[in-house]
Amino acid sequence: MPHFIAEYTHNIEAEADLPGLFEKVHACLGASGVFPLGGIRSRAVRLDTWRMADGQHDYAFVHMTLKVGAGRDLATRRQVADALFEVISGHFAALQARRLLALSFEMTELDAELNYKLNNVHAFLKGQAG
């Protein structure tokens, strides 16, 4: 954990540079000291069927979610969320200056008891460091 998910409208796919966004997201989350690198994952979901506002213009949106495991206090989650939204806003600033684009972001905390994981990446990365 955490998982970063970007849902985006198909009409900005060529300009959104989602791999670049993911690189920045991973750098931000890794630098926070809150999450282990081996648990950070990002993915994009292209939306081909959608409608926004009155449907009369070339609108676009990106809705992003960061799902985190339970156990961190609100101040820590807020600090991470604020830093990440700053990264997101900066990434999309030029595109938003050129077109109608709505950005939204939320952090959700997963249930402490009903969140199952099985991951061998942490051990792999630990072995790479030594």
Side-chain angles (χ1 to χ4, degrees):
M1 260 313 133
H3 290 213
F4 181 78
I5 304 159
E7 298 172 284
Y8 68 97
T9 56
H10 74 285
N11 59 339
I12 60 168
E13 185 167 45
E15 299 175 285
D17 185 19
L18 294 172
L21 173 64
F22 294 163
E23 185 175 339
K24 294 170 189 171
V25 165
H26 283 237
C28 177
L29 295 175
S32 74
V34 176
F35 307 105
L37 181 61
I40 303 171
R41 298 174 202 151
S42 294
R43 57 189 173 272
V45 179
R46 178 184 151 132
L47 303 173
D48 291 315
T49 305
W50 57 277
R51 182 179 173 101
M52 186 172 169
D54 59 11
Q56 300 298 310
H57 302 279
D58 187 28
Y59 300 116
F61 69 84
V62 184
H63 175 71
M64 293 146 284
T65 304
L66 183 69
K67 295 183 179 190
V68 301
R72 294 169 185 93
D73 63 38
L74 178 59
T76 300
R77 293 192 320 268
R78 178 173 283 130
Q79 183 178 4
V80 170
D82 288 348
L84 191 53
F85 193 65
E86 188 174 323
V87 167
I88 290 165
S89 299
H91 178 81
F92 287 107
L95 183 57
Q96 197 168 40
R98 293 192 308 269
R99 63 165 303 123
L100 296 167
L101 175 62
L103 301 175
S104 56
F105 168 69
E106 65 178 320
M107 179 187 285
T108 60
E109 185 178 46
L110 300 176
D111 187 281
E113 294 185 33
L114 299 175
N115 179 18
Y116 303 87
K117 299 179 189 104
L118 183 59
N119 180 350
N120 64 5
V121 175
H122 297 289
F124 172 78
L125 289 174
K126 188 175 184 179
Q128 294 292 308

